[in-house]
Amino acid sequence: MIKVGLLGLGTVGTGVVRIVEGHQEDLLRQTGSPISIERILVQDRAKMRTVSVDPTKLTEHAYDIIDDPGINVVIEVMGGIEPAKTYILAALEKGKHIVTANKDLMAMHGAEILAKAAEKGCDVFYEASVAGGIPIIRTLVEGFSSDRITKIMGIVNGTTNYILTKMSQEGAAYGEVLKEAQALGYAEADPTSDVEGLDAARKMTILATLGFHAQVSLQDVEVKGISQITKEDILYGSRLGYTVKLLGIAERQDDHISVSVQPTMVKHSHPLASVNGVFNAVYVYGEAVGETMFYGPGAGELPTATSVVADLVAVVRNLKLGVNGRETFVPYKEKKLKSDEQIASKNFILLHVEDKAGVLAQITQIFAQYEVSLESVLQHPNPNNPKAEIIIITHDANRASMKKVLKQFESMDVIHAIKSVYRVEG
Amino acid sequence: MIKVGLLGLGTVGTGVVRIVEGHQEDLLRQTGSPISIERILVQDRAKMRTVSVDPTKLTEHAYDIIDDPGINVVIEVMGGIEPAKTYILAALEKGKHIVTANKDLMAMHGAEILAKAAEKGCDVFYEASVAGGIPIIRTLVEGFSSDRITKIMGIVNGTTNYILTKMSQEGAAYGEVLKEAQALGYAEADPTSDVEGLDAARKMTILATLGFHAQVSLQDVEVKGISQITKEDILYGSRLGYTVKLLGIAERQDDHISVSVQPTMVKHSHPLASVNGVFNAVYVYGEAVGETMFYGPGAGELPTATSVVADLVAVVRNLKLGVNGRETFVPYKEKKLKSDEQIASKNFILLHVEDKAGVLAQITQIFAQYEVSLESVLQHPNPNNPKAEIIIITHDANRASMKKVLKQFESMDVIHAIKSVYRVEG
């Protein structure tokens, strides 16, 4: 009998109880062991639950679980840094294996936790911390173990993807859709972490570390959220064949890496462009395998619990084989970040300019001066706007040059506003 | 030092050599062991190769590899049933671990090979046998180990997907596109195995066995190919919002399963609808996780070799841990096939009918008689055809009823032809 302690009985914890109890026979076949959730840490034992649990299993004291020598595995689904981190480290100290869904913790203190696990010969698995039900960590670590991954692009935040999908499909403004998402429970009352891209940045930290074998930290990720995206951006993008998505983008070239989260114009034909609503997807490019994409639910009670319990199955299989803690992932490459000269992408730029002869020539000359070549230029009068609008899509241009171009634009009288600048993919 | 014997140096074998030699340092980091391809079975030692190999490693005699006590792992990338099967069983008998990309062999004799592996305590891994570079076997066996999978739908044959994509995008006829695909090397001179759905059926046999934990055999798969698809089918499907794809479909309900390969009308909004060209994708529905999809290259030298070498990495990790042959997949559920009464789907039906009053009423009455309800009915004159055309899309209907409806149609004078019947998904 494998005895499990569960820290947290919120959405994901409830799903874990449902799957472990509902799939007993299948889990027994999969692992050769009956699995029992012995104790559950809750904030309030008296609270009503949507899942029926034996009330004697509930405790308000984490150390009832951590100090129980009968418990083999601790599943942490509380979220947040503390006290989750202290509990996990204490449980590892006692030789317990860990399954966690905690992206904040793994993004910020993953290295410390994995080092403690290696020291103690314990498993720490965290599939559910990125992209909910999509087994993307297994895919990176095992499925592509033979390949060199050079690019990972992820739609890894369901809230923002829901908002952007609605804005695209209904031509609605950001503020309206956010309110609707909050009413439906797809966005939090304080949506900052989602809409400013911080949640996605944490997940990209984990994916980049695994994919590139170098310890990427949250500070390395350049982050821009979706709150500045306008209806016009989405409309003009669509006319040119692009969909706006909040993408986490991790790239590697010659051992130099860059990681960012930003609203991106994604070409309609790219597999990420048709990932809609609260769904998540991770696109992985490997030197040998080429283009791949993994799609599924990024959150939710049962999808996330599926990944948590799959990790539990892996711990139990290792227990049977006596090989826990033997496959700890240790990044073996030195982290070198790309400079602005090394980061290149296509760009979408929307300018409001004076409507007179010669303006376009002046603008294109600036691009030429910094050796940024252009893929397409679209100038059209806007009936709602006395200024002319110019949309430019560049070829691949390095960021240093782009910054210089934009700086020049700021000082030009004929340019009234640099309305939007987006990275372009696909 | 892990010593590998390679059976076959065709497309995939060449890719394996390239990856193992090119990624030595990464593989050493991944596994803790240097890996060497010691000997390679070829048909003709004198043949020119696109990869440089030490000629002393080449042999024309399989037993130079099988009987070599220094070789730990045998990679089989010859394809076909014999002599691959004999060689693999002989290598297992000698205690060697096996990695194979052989879908024909695993679909038809997988159970026998896995049983021999279990007896001998050897690993047999075969990720590359389904969907080339997509790690779908790992995903089913490990990623979704905690869930109950109820549906697997795959675009698992690149040749037919290329042909159907071209037919859709260019309005071209099947025969023309097939010739073009043959000229480009995307289709074989004898394309039967691909275009008649047999290749897809073998892959679905493997996926259904793994997903449903019951030993599905090739005889259980109902197969229909793409050679009868017309330009009209694709055009009318498109107008109604569907794309024609050759789908392998494996379904489970209450432990009864069905597996088929057939051209299917897939709704444009379904993630499988936008999988184009030679790409593959496998859609997996789990009771807990919900909808997921895994997309990537289904064939090709380096993508397929990526999966082969990832399996090799898994064997080597197991060797280090001393746990080879301990996780053999054994189907533990009895196979029960669904009856026609238990198989339900939406259907697309194209009829040529007499253009006179009352015909539609007669037709819809037949559906009503067998309790098949209709989602939409479209009647329109075809300027190129003196007959009227009727397109009907049914709601979910069981196959027994559908067969009765179609049988009735055959005997009706007002129906000149049942031009097409397709399953509908999404």
Side-chain angles (χ1 to χ4, degrees):
Chain A
M1 169 75 83
I2 302 297
K3 294 185 176 176
V4 176
L6 184 62
L7 305 180
L9 191 56
T11 305
V12 180
T14 301
V16 170
V17 171
R18 277 193 224 281
I19 292 180
V20 171
E21 312 229 311
H23 295 190
Q24 269 298 315
E25 199 208 315
D26 292 311
L27 292 174
L28 178 59
R29 293 283 192 169
Q30 295 271 352
T31 63
S33 288
I35 295 174
S36 160
I37 295 179
E38 283 290 289
R39 300 224 74 178
I40 304 174
L41 175 68
V42 293
Q43 284 187 305
D44 176 3
R45 288 188 58 192
K47 193 180 156 187
M48 288 292 290
R49 310 282 167 190
T50 62
V51 66
S52 91
V53 283
D54 173 355
T56 64
K57 291 187 170 181
L58 301 180
T59 173
E60 294 172 9
H61 307 286
Y63 289 86
D64 286 350
I65 292 170
I66 294 164
D67 292 336
D68 181 341
I71 286 178
N72 319 77
V73 186
V74 170
I75 296 177
E76 183 274 310
V77 286
M78 311 164 61
I81 303 295
E82 284 295 358
K85 184 185 169 201
T86 300
Y87 294 166
I88 286 177
L89 289 172
L92 284 169
E93 198 58 54
K94 299 269 178 174
K96 299 187 195 316
H97 308 292
I98 305 290
V99 174
T100 174
N102 195 324
K103 59 187 172 284
D104 303 11
L105 186 58
M106 291 311 293
M108 306 199 28
H109 304 282
E112 180 183 351
I113 288 167
L114 294 174
K116 172 61 78 179
E119 179 197 326
K120 290 292 175 178
C122 291
D123 287 335
V124 172
F125 294 142
Y126 49 102
E127 182 67 80
S129 67
V130 183
I134 309 173
I136 186 63
I137 290 183
R138 269 187 182 74
T139 297
L140 288 178
V141 173
E142 294 173 25
F144 295 146
S145 60
S146 65
D147 202 0
R148 289 200 196 105
I149 293 166
T150 53
K151 190 166 189 174
I152 303 171
M153 295 200 289
I155 294 174
V156 289
N157 180 275
T159 303
T160 48
N161 203 48
Y162 173 86
I163 292 172
L164 292 175
T165 301
K166 278 275 177 183
M167 287 176 74
S168 286
Q169 289 174 349
E170 298 171 6
Y174 169 74
E176 296 166 40
V177 182
L178 173 60
K179 266 184 211 145
E180 197 187 316
Q182 285 170 320
L184 288 166
Y186 291 155
E188 313 257 345
D190 175 2
T192 314
S193 164
D194 291 320
V195 301
E196 295 308 335
L198 304 173
D199 175 80
R202 292 184 196 116
K203 292 165 178 169
M204 291 308 298
T205 303
I206 296 171
L207 292 180
T209 298
L210 293 170
F212 300 155
H213 303 282
Q215 185 65 52
V216 175
S217 68
L218 196 52
Q219 292 75 10
D220 304 324
V221 187
E222 208 161 320
V223 186
K224 196 177 158 200
I226 66 165
S227 54
Q228 303 304 313
I229 300 172
T230 66
K231 289 200 273 191
E232 285 69 34
D233 294 339
I234 287 179
L235 181 67
Y236 293 155
S238 168
R239 282 194 196 150
L240 292 166
Y242 297 95
T243 304
V244 182
K245 294 289 182 191
L246 183 69
L247 292 194
I249 302 179
E251 290 180 295
R252 171 166 76 167
Q253 200 173 20
D254 302 332
D255 277 349
H256 281 78
I257 65 181
S258 65
V259 188
S260 62
V261 171
Q262 64 200 301
T264 305
M265 293 277 175
V266 182
K267 203 159 205 170
H268 286 153
S269 57
H270 192 282
L272 285 168
S274 43
V275 175
N276 287 322
V278 294
F279 276 90
N280 278 199
V282 181
Y283 169 99
V284 179
Y285 191 92
E287 278 180 6
V289 75
E291 286 193 286
T292 63
M293 191 182 82
F294 307 91
Y295 168 93
E301 177 187 309
L302 290 175
T304 309
T306 300
S307 287
V308 170
V309 182
D311 277 352
L312 175 61
V313 167
V315 170
V316 177
R317 284 177 179 165
N318 282 349
L319 275 167
K320 287 267 151 182
L321 299 174
V323 296
N324 302 87
R326 297 286 293 276
E327 286 186 52
T328 311
F329 178 89
V330 182
Y332 57 84
K333 287 193 172 139
E334 190 195 341
K335 177 184 70 189
K336 298 180 207 154
L337 294 178
K338 286 189 183 185
S339 67
D340 274 355
E341 282 74 19
Q342 293 170 308
I343 299 175
S345 74
K346 292 185 179 194
N347 300 276
F348 168 107
I349 303 150
L350 171 59
L351 304 173
H352 282 187
V353 303
E354 202 145 328
D355 199 355
K356 68 173 189 186
V359 172
L360 191 56
Q362 274 181 272
I363 288 170
T364 52
Q365 203 178 5
I366 305 284
F367 281 109
Q369 184 185 335
Y370 295 105
E371 294 181 350
V372 174
S373 64
L374 305 184
E375 181 181 294
S376 59
V377 178
L378 198 77
Q379 175 164 8
H380 64 103
N382 182 337
N384 306 318
N385 194 328
K387 319 292 178 207
E389 290 183 330
I390 294 181
I391 295 167
I392 294 153
I393 294 181
T394 71
H395 284 299
D396 270 347
N398 78 54
R399 233 160 55 137
S401 301
M402 277 302 299
K403 281 184 179 171
K404 288 178 196 155
V405 167
L406 294 171
K407 188 141 191 240
Q408 285 269 29
F409 284 176
E410 278 169 20
S411 66
M412 286 166 68
D413 286 344
V414 294
I415 295 180
H416 294 269
I418 301 168
K419 293 299 287 183
S420 316
V421 180
Y422 290 98
R423 182 176 172 132
V424 172
E425 285 290 336
Chain B
M1 169 74 83
I2 302 297
K3 294 184 177 176
V4 176
L6 184 62
L7 305 180
L9 191 56
T11 305
V12 180
T14 302
V16 170
V17 171
R18 278 193 223 280
I19 293 180
V20 171
E21 311 229 311
H23 294 190
Q24 269 298 317
E25 198 208 316
D26 293 310
L27 293 174
L28 177 61
R29 293 285 191 167
Q30 294 272 351
T31 64
S33 288
I35 294 175
S36 160
I37 295 180
E38 284 291 290
R39 299 224 76 179
I40 304 174
L41 175 68
V42 293
Q43 285 186 302
D44 176 4
R45 287 188 59 192
K47 192 180 156 186
M48 290 291 292
R49 311 282 167 189
T50 62
V51 67
S52 91
V53 282
D54 175 354
T56 65
K57 290 187 170 181
L58 301 181
T59 173
E60 294 172 9
H61 307 287
Y63 288 87
D64 286 351
I65 292 170
I66 294 164
D67 291 336
D68 181 342
I71 286 179
N72 319 76
V73 187
V74 170
I75 296 178
E76 184 275 307
V77 285
M78 312 164 61
I81 302 296
E82 284 296 355
K85 185 186 169 199
T86 300
Y87 294 165
I88 286 176
L89 289 172
L92 286 169
E93 196 60 52
K94 299 269 179 175
K96 299 188 196 313
H97 309 291
I98 306 290
V99 175
T100 174
N102 196 324
K103 59 187 171 285
D104 303 13
L105 185 59
M106 291 310 293
M108 307 202 24
H109 304 282
E112 181 183 350
I113 288 166
L114 294 174
K116 172 61 78 179
E119 180 197 325
K120 291 290 174 179
C122 291
D123 286 335
V124 172
F125 293 143
Y126 48 103
E127 182 66 81
S129 68
V130 182
I134 310 173
I136 186 63
I137 291 183
R138 272 190 180 73
T139 298
L140 288 178
V141 173
E142 295 173 26
F144 295 145
S145 60
S146 64
D147 202 0
R148 288 200 196 106
I149 293 165
T150 53
K151 191 167 190 174
I152 303 171
M153 296 200 289
I155 294 174
V156 289
N157 180 274
T159 303
T160 48
N161 202 50
Y162 173 84
I163 292 172
L164 292 175
T165 302
K166 278 276 178 183
M167 287 176 74
S168 286
Q169 288 174 349
E170 298 171 5
Y174 169 74
E176 296 166 41
V177 182
L178 173 60
K179 266 186 211 144
E180 197 187 315
Q182 285 170 321
L184 288 166
Y186 290 157
E188 312 258 344
D190 175 2
T192 314
S193 165
D194 291 320
V195 301
E196 295 307 336
L198 304 173
D199 175 79
R202 292 185 195 114
K203 291 164 178 169
M204 291 309 297
T205 303
I206 296 171
L207 292 180
T209 298
L210 292 170
F212 300 156
H213 303 281
Q215 186 65 52
V216 175
S217 67
L218 197 51
Q219 292 75 7
D220 303 326
V221 187
E222 208 161 321
V223 186
K224 198 178 157 199
I226 66 165
S227 55
Q228 303 304 313
I229 299 172
T230 65
K231 290 201 272 191
E232 285 69 34
D233 295 340
I234 288 179
L235 181 67
Y236 294 155
S238 167
R239 281 192 197 152
L240 291 166
Y242 296 96
T243 304
V244 182
K245 293 288 182 193
L246 183 68
L247 292 194
I249 302 179
E251 290 180 294
R252 172 165 75 168
Q253 199 172 21
D254 302 332
D255 277 350
H256 281 77
I257 65 182
S258 65
V259 188
S260 62
V261 172
Q262 64 199 300
T264 305
M265 293 276 177
V266 182
K267 202 160 205 170
H268 286 153
S269 58
H270 192 281
L272 286 168
S274 42
V275 176
N276 287 323
V278 294
F279 276 90
N280 278 199
V282 181
Y283 169 99
V284 179
Y285 191 92
E287 277 181 7
V289 76
E291 289 192 286
T292 63
M293 191 182 81
F294 307 91
Y295 168 95
E301 177 187 309
L302 290 175
T304 309
T306 300
S307 287
V308 170
V309 183
D311 277 351
L312 175 61
V313 167
V315 170
V316 177
R317 284 177 179 165
N318 283 349
L319 275 168
K320 287 267 152 184
L321 299 173
V323 296
N324 300 86
R326 296 286 295 275
E327 285 186 52
T328 312
F329 178 88
V330 182
Y332 58 84
K333 287 194 172 139
E334 190 196 343
K335 177 184 70 188
K336 297 180 207 152
L337 294 178
K338 285 188 184 185
S339 67
D340 275 356
E341 282 74 20
Q342 292 170 308
I343 298 175
S345 74
K346 291 186 179 193
N347 300 276
F348 169 106
I349 302 150
L350 171 59
L351 303 173
H352 282 187
V353 304
E354 201 144 330
D355 199 357
K356 68 174 192 187
V359 172
L360 192 56
Q362 273 180 272
I363 288 169
T364 52
Q365 203 176 4
I366 305 285
F367 282 108
Q369 184 184 334
Y370 294 105
E371 294 181 350
V372 175
S373 63
L374 305 183
E375 182 181 291
S376 59
V377 177
L378 200 76
Q379 176 165 7
H380 63 103
N382 182 338
N384 306 318
N385 194 327
K387 317 294 177 206
E389 291 183 327
I390 294 181
I391 296 167
I392 293 152
I393 295 181
T394 73
H395 283 297
D396 269 348
N398 79 54
R399 235 163 52 139
S401 301
M402 277 303 299
K403 282 184 177 170
K404 288 178 196 154
V405 167
L406 294 171
K407 189 142 190 238
Q408 284 268 27
F409 283 176
E410 279 169 18
S411 66
M412 286 167 70
D413 288 342
V414 295
I415 295 180
H416 294 268
I418 303 169
K419 293 299 286 182
S420 316
V421 180
Y422 290 97
R423 182 175 171 132
V424 173
E425 285 290 336

